[in-house]
Amino acid sequence: MQKPTLGRIVHYRGKQGYQAARAAIVTATEETLDPRGVEAGHVPALTDDTHVHLWVYSPGDSGGFAEYNVAPGRPDDPLTQATAANIPPGTWCWPPRI
């Protein structure tokens, strides 16, 4: 799996409601997260180098929301390309190649 990097666009599957697919941007990775902010309690830690913090874009009035320590999603069938429609709720994946 390609390692996530700061500023990359990913797809996120919501963990509540209709679990809708949303566009999101990576706002922190293990490499970019300031440990002082984690120690001070201002930002949650990341579990490993595949987990990310995201800003999830929403078509509603709020415009979006933050999600923290989000794991990559994988479909049940390992031969199937991950999409926001087939990953578990509350996870991210790379946009499909067109």
Side-chain angles (χ1 to χ4, degrees):
M1 175 182 190
Q2 183 178 358
K3 196 171 169 183
T5 54
L6 187 67
R8 292 287 303 271
I9 298 291
V10 298
H11 288 179
Y12 171 78
R13 183 172 182 200
K15 56 186 172 185
Q16 298 177 346
Y18 293 110
Q19 301 170 349
R22 300 276 187 255
I25 191 164
V26 176
T27 59
T29 65
E30 196 173 59
E31 291 179 350
T32 65
L33 192 59
D34 185 350
R36 295 170 297 183
V38 174
E39 290 169 10
H42 298 301
V43 64
L46 292 165
T47 303
D48 61 39
D49 66 354
T50 66
H51 285 64
V52 295
H53 294 333
L54 298 173
W55 179 259
V56 181
Y57 292 93
S58 175
D61 290 337
S62 70
F65 53 93
E67 286 289 349
Y68 301 102
N69 198 33
V70 181
R74 293 178 180 85
D76 291 335
D77 178 0
L79 300 178
T80 301
Q81 180 181 9
T83 68
N86 68 14
I87 59 174
T91 61
W92 69 271
C93 66
W94 298 112
R97 295 196 94 144
I98 298 176

